[in-house]
Amino acid sequence: MRHGLITFFAALGGVLVALFSFQLYGKFATDRARAQADAEQQAKIEQGRQLVERTIADERAVAAIRNDVAAASMARVAITEYYMVNGRMPASNAEAGLPGPETYKGQALRSMTVVQDGSMVLEFDATSGVEGGRIEWHPDLTGIESMGMQWHCSTHDYAQIARALPNCEYLPPSGADIGTGK
């Protein structure tokens, strides 16, 4: 009988230890699952924060480009006037009667350069979203007698340029850039 009692208490102790171990394992698994869910939630919050920061930076870049292009638009008038008076396009800022390229500064604008064919090249800093990004304005003389000089805008650097300048065309980088021979 004594062996029977010892066996019974040993079995009862084993069952209690097993139940206690099972309960601890369940708590550990629950805590681990909760920690993983918390980590995933924190990652989603961080992704959302980064998206908001990118969106704000993009909106600031769009506004800076819009404002700087509007401020530099008087240079197109000067180039057009030069053409009307001289019958040819100016080859530089000085020839067009404009200040030097680096005097054109804005929220993101670093410089505005008139190049050989009368085109304007606006170069921007990182505030625009692309360090050294360029937007080019090309004069179109076809139909100048009836419609005046038309300008075509293009860029190799700003894929989303239509957000800032709806009539500007994005041209994926490939050939030579105006004015630099790149």
Side-chain angles (χ1 to χ4, degrees), residues 57-67 127-128 160 163-164:
D58 288 349
E59 290 304 316
R60 284 184 183 148
V62 165
I65 288 172
R66 271 190 203 133
N67 293 337
T127 306
S128 70
Q160 302 296 322
R163 288 184 57 219

Side-chain angles (χ1 to χ4, degrees), residues 67-117:
N67 293 337
D68 290 345
V69 166
S73 66
M74 291 308 295
R76 290 189 305 219
V77 173
I79 293 168
T80 302
E81 288 175 357
Y82 182 91
Y83 177 80
M84 295 303 199
V85 170
N86 298 294
R88 65 179 182 82
M89 286 295 185
S92 67
N93 288 40
E95 194 172 358
L98 297 169
E102 285 74 29
T103 60
Y104 287 87
K105 299 279 186 202
Q107 292 174 320
L109 185 64
R110 182 183 293 157
S111 68
M112 190 286 300
T113 305
V114 176
V115 295
Q116 191 65 36
D117 66 352

Side-chain angles (χ1 to χ4, degrees), residues 136-148:
E136 302 170 1
W137 291 88
H138 307 280
D140 180 359
L141 301 177
T142 58
I144 193 167
E145 293 80 21
S146 61
M147 296 178 16

